[in-house]
Amino acid sequence: MFTKLYVGNLSLETKEEALRTLFEQAGTVESARIITDRYSGSSKGFGFVEMATSEEAIKAVELFNGHSLDGRSLTVSQARERRERGGERQGGYRGR
């Protein structure tokens, strides 16, 4: 089963603590992370929440998919595994 959730359509103003507090209503939150731009540090509008059990994760999806947080309707679903990036370089100067 799954415990890691994708949370999309976050307000750029939403903080990780608010995300954690919301999801604690469904059970024990192992981690809550909002993804930020590496250069500007601003939110990219999505994040991940990891619940302690798959039952709590299922409950969180049922409770919070479509739920309003900071004026935005959340998209909550099972997180997909991160694909490994290939070693092939793309773009940039190649010294030709």
Side-chain angles (χ1 to χ4, degrees), residues 4-52:
K4 191 170 186 178
L5 303 172
Y6 165 83
V7 183
N9 201 33
L10 291 171
S11 165
L12 300 182
E13 307 304 317
T14 301
K15 304 294 181 210
E16 287 178 352
E17 188 57 37
L19 194 60
R20 175 181 289 277
T21 300
L22 177 67
F23 278 79
E24 283 176 342
Q25 295 175 39
T28 304
V29 175
E30 296 291 324
S31 65
R33 183 165 179 238
I34 294 176
I35 305 305
T36 57
D37 181 81
R38 78 173 72 180
Y39 299 109
S40 70
S42 62
S43 171
K44 289 191 169 191
F46 70 95
F48 297 94
V49 174
E50 188 166 1
M51 303 300 292

Side-chain angles (χ1 to χ4, degrees), residues 66-85:
H67 180 84
S68 182
L69 178 64
D70 296 331
R72 304 290 296 264
S73 180
L74 299 180
T75 300
V76 181
S77 62
Q78 178 181 353
R80 293 184 295 211
E81 290 296 317
R82 185 175 182 177
R83 290 182 289 162
E84 292 297 319
R85 295 183 180 187

